[in-house]
Amino acid sequence: MSISLVLLAAGKGTRMRSDMPKVLHRIAQAPMLAHAMTAGAHLRPERTVVVAGHGFEAVKAATLSVDGDAVVVEQAEQLGTAHAVNHARGALADFSGDVVVLYADTPFVSPETLNRMIAARQNFDLVILGFEAADPGRYGRLVMEGDALLRIVEFKDASDAERKISFCNSGLMACASDRLFDLLSKVGNDNAQGEYYLTDIVEIARDRGLSVTAVACDEAETLGVNSRADLAQADAVFQARARADLLDSGVTLMAPDTVHLAFDTVIGRDTVIEPNVVFGPGVTVETGATIRAFSHLEGCHVSRGATVGPYARLRPGTELAEDVRIGNFVEVKNAQIDQGAKVNHLSYIGDASIGARSNVGAGTITCNYDGFLKHRTDIGADVFIGSDTMLVAPVTLGDGAMTATGAVITRDVEPDALAIARSKQENKPGSARKLKDMLRAKKARQTKDKS
Ligand code: UD1
Ligand code: CA
């Protein structure tokens, strides 16, 4: 059976109090929309149609960056969920199979739940996804009779008795494409909100003698994001799951609750993550590495056995080979650091390569930016960079070279050469004592004048 997805993403999300469309707000560093698309992708859809409205261009761009084949249709006026799904009609005109409706603001539905919805379609014409709500609040209520769903009543239209029902509508549903669009054309807007409710197709279907049921899932999966508080809660749900998955797969998290993961963080077994580490998007850490406390990693690859931090920052394009050591207050950006090399203290390494076993002394900086252009620093293998060396890029240091402490390196250094680039030291015998005597006398005069 082929499946297409219709993902509703046109709403403004008034309660977010944001200039940005709701579905672009981020959970674990990816837009909510991307999480919903990832959830739906488990069904291997033949076609994915995203209905966008508020912030159309931005939502379209975000959609296409997740799936270049998705079709984005515009719902210029948001007249309700049925009106929204109806906008996918054209894009699915030549599709025959099942349509699964997903909400971009309900990002965490599990593959297992989606599979159960599809399985229930064997026996029912229309399948709705419901959940037992701890606090049913403003959700639509599912009126059941045995396993038959009689109708869905929106909170605003519900009687007191109906409001007591705790089995709620997630909004997700599955139905044969031609039948769905047929039912949609019968939906009106005579209700408390004057909207075209998607939920009305339940009663319309039953009036035609079609069978309708609701499949139940855990409330955590149908968590709808409507406010910043919901967004924070959704992030917490994501983090809790991602941390549990890492622990399960053999990663040590010393203080799991303090480690913030991104949607795509990959960490190998026997790696140890100390407390208070933040992962931005695009990080892979191989097995047996150690990420020490208070480090921040983004767009980087850390190989087996490497140690990072405490207090290190790895920025995009950082590639650490096996057993590399990056120490405290070191920032690395767009740099390849080869096996066993060390940058242990207070350094900035950007647009650079560092060869195997090289040692970069404390306070070393690659001066990669002249205010207009970026330049590269290439350091060979077995190089020793003295503390406080300024490497003024573009500059290349050959294998086995050394730089003296405090050097300002502006020219290439050939292999095995020692580069010294600082003014010569001069010692003036007795001058310290004379200078101190002079300053002491000056201070005494000032104190006397004041009193
Ligand atoms: C909807 C359901 C309600 C359910 C709840 C679950 C209806 C009538 N009600 O209510 O039963 O309990 O979701 O979260 O379906 N959207 C559009 N275009 C529109 C209107 C909405 O794309 O014209 C999108 C929104 O961006 C959002 C989703 O559809 O992603 C749900 O819309 P929303 O207005 O939040 O519906 P609820 O009132 O929460
Ligand atoms: Ca909602």
Side-chain angles (χ1 to χ4, degrees):
M1 155 86 79
S2 53
I3 291 170
S4 283
L5 302 177
V6 174
L7 195 75
L8 302 192
K12 180 164 190 275
T14 310
R15 278 177 285 164
M16 293 299 285
R17 302 192 196 290
S18 176
D19 294 334
M20 186 164 77
K22 174 163 84 175
V23 298
L24 297 187
H25 282 267
R26 290 174 173 261
I27 296 169
Q29 324 259 354
M32 224 183 281
L33 171 84
H35 288 273
M37 288 176 72
T38 303
H42 290 287
L43 291 173
R44 302 184 167 281
E46 184 177 315
R47 212 167 293 174
T48 297
V49 184
V50 174
V51 181
H54 276 279
F56 177 76
E57 291 303 332
V59 172
K60 182 175 178 177
T63 301
L64 296 178
S65 75
V66 178
D67 175 1
D69 296 330
V71 181
V72 186
V73 296
E74 183 167 13
Q75 184 196 20
E77 255 191 309
Q78 287 80 46
L79 303 181
T81 43
H83 182 252
V85 176
N86 207 25
H87 277 66
R89 187 187 288 269
L92 295 175
D94 58 344
F95 168 76
S96 65
D98 261 19
V99 169
V100 174
V101 176
L102 301 174
Y103 285 9
D105 67 350
T106 306
F108 293 145
V109 62
S110 73
E112 186 261 339
T113 294
L114 292 173
N115 288 340
R116 281 194 296 121
M117 288 175 71
I118 298 301
R121 273 276 299 121
Q122 305 278 320
N123 303 314
F124 293 89
D125 297 307
L126 174 60
V127 176
I128 305 289
L129 180 64
F131 60 101
E132 272 302 326
D135 172 16
R138 312 176 76 74
Y139 286 115
R141 306 299 206 267
L142 302 184
V143 183
M144 302 292 293
E145 192 177 80
D147 63 358
L149 174 60
L150 303 185
R151 61 186 195 298
I152 305 178
V153 49
E154 287 305 290
F155 175 78
K156 286 188 182 162
D157 303 288
S159 65
D160 285 344
E162 286 166 335
R163 286 182 180 183
K164 290 208 172 71
I165 298 173
S166 57
F167 192 35
C168 292
N169 178 29
S170 71
L172 277 61
M173 61 171 64
C175 187
S177 184
D178 48 354
R179 180 158 281 155
L180 175 66
F181 289 108
D182 191 27
L183 294 170
L184 280 173
S185 55
K186 300 290 179 293
V187 174
N189 66 349
D190 180 18
N191 52 52
Q193 303 186 84
E195 283 184 9
Y196 295 88
Y197 290 166
L198 179 57
T199 46
D200 281 358
I201 69 169
V202 172
E203 262 189 293
I204 298 169
R206 286 191 55 89
D207 286 348
R208 294 200 186 170
L210 299 174
S211 59
V212 188
T213 195
V215 161
C217 73
D218 194 273
E219 187 169 6
E221 290 184 41
T222 55
L223 182 90
V225 178
N226 294 305
S227 64
R228 304 272 181 166
D230 292 345
L231 186 70
Q233 202 201 334
D235 201 278
V237 167
F238 179 93
Q239 296 299 331
R241 267 193 225 158
R243 289 169 191 142
D245 288 350
L246 286 179
L247 293 167
D248 261 1
S249 67
V251 175
T252 295
L253 304 178
M254 284 171 57
D257 290 351
T258 69
V259 174
H260 205 88
L261 302 159
F263 67 103
D264 61 351
T265 305
V266 176
I267 303 178
R269 60 190 282 164
D270 288 325
T271 281
V272 175
I273 311 291
E274 290 189 358
N276 296 297
V277 174
V278 175
F279 291 90
V283 177
T284 301
V285 180
E286 289 184 10
T287 62
T290 304
I291 310 297
R292 304 203 53 197
F294 296 99
S295 293
H296 191 288
L297 291 76
E298 182 178 0
C300 62
H301 176 220
V302 176
S303 297
R304 188 182 286 265
T307 300
V308 174
Y311 298 97
R313 180 168 181 212
L314 303 186
R315 291 172 52 204
T318 296
E319 175 79 38
L320 306 185
E322 292 181 15
D323 304 319
V324 160
R325 285 174 172 272
I326 300 297
N328 41 231
F329 305 107
V330 172
E331 174 180 344
V332 185
K333 182 213 75 170
N334 185 32
Q336 295 72 49
I337 304 189
D338 270 1
Q339 197 159 350
K342 295 176 183 166
V343 187
N344 270 333
H345 327 272
L346 303 154
S347 286
Y348 172 64
I349 304 296
D351 303 312
S353 64
I354 298 179
R357 299 170 303 279
S358 287
N359 186 88
V360 175
T364 294
I365 287 173
T366 54
C367 310
N368 62 328
Y369 186 47
D370 55 20
F372 295 90
L373 297 167
K374 301 279 172 70
H375 304 282
R376 284 194 62 85
T377 300
D378 292 298
I379 299 172
D382 301 301
V383 169
F384 182 90
I385 305 287
S387 293
D388 197 30
T389 296
M390 297 296 119
L391 298 159
V392 183
V395 69
T396 298
L397 288 80
D399 292 347
M402 289 179 90
T403 68
T405 293
V408 178
I409 303 296
T410 53
R411 283 189 290 126
D412 290 354
V413 181
E414 60 268 39
D416 299 317
L418 167 64
I420 306 172
R422 63 186 185 214
S423 53
K424 262 216 157 63
Q425 181 171 333
E426 194 186 344
N427 290 355
K428 297 187 172 177
S431 282
R433 184 180 306 149
K434 277 187 216 156
L435 184 61
K436 283 184 195 167
D437 286 348
M438 194 184 85
L439 293 171
R440 198 173 289 119
K442 189 174 179 183
K443 187 173 179 183
R445 272 198 307 280
Q446 281 180 3
T447 316
K448 203 172 141 202
D449 288 352
K450 264 189 213 148
S451 60

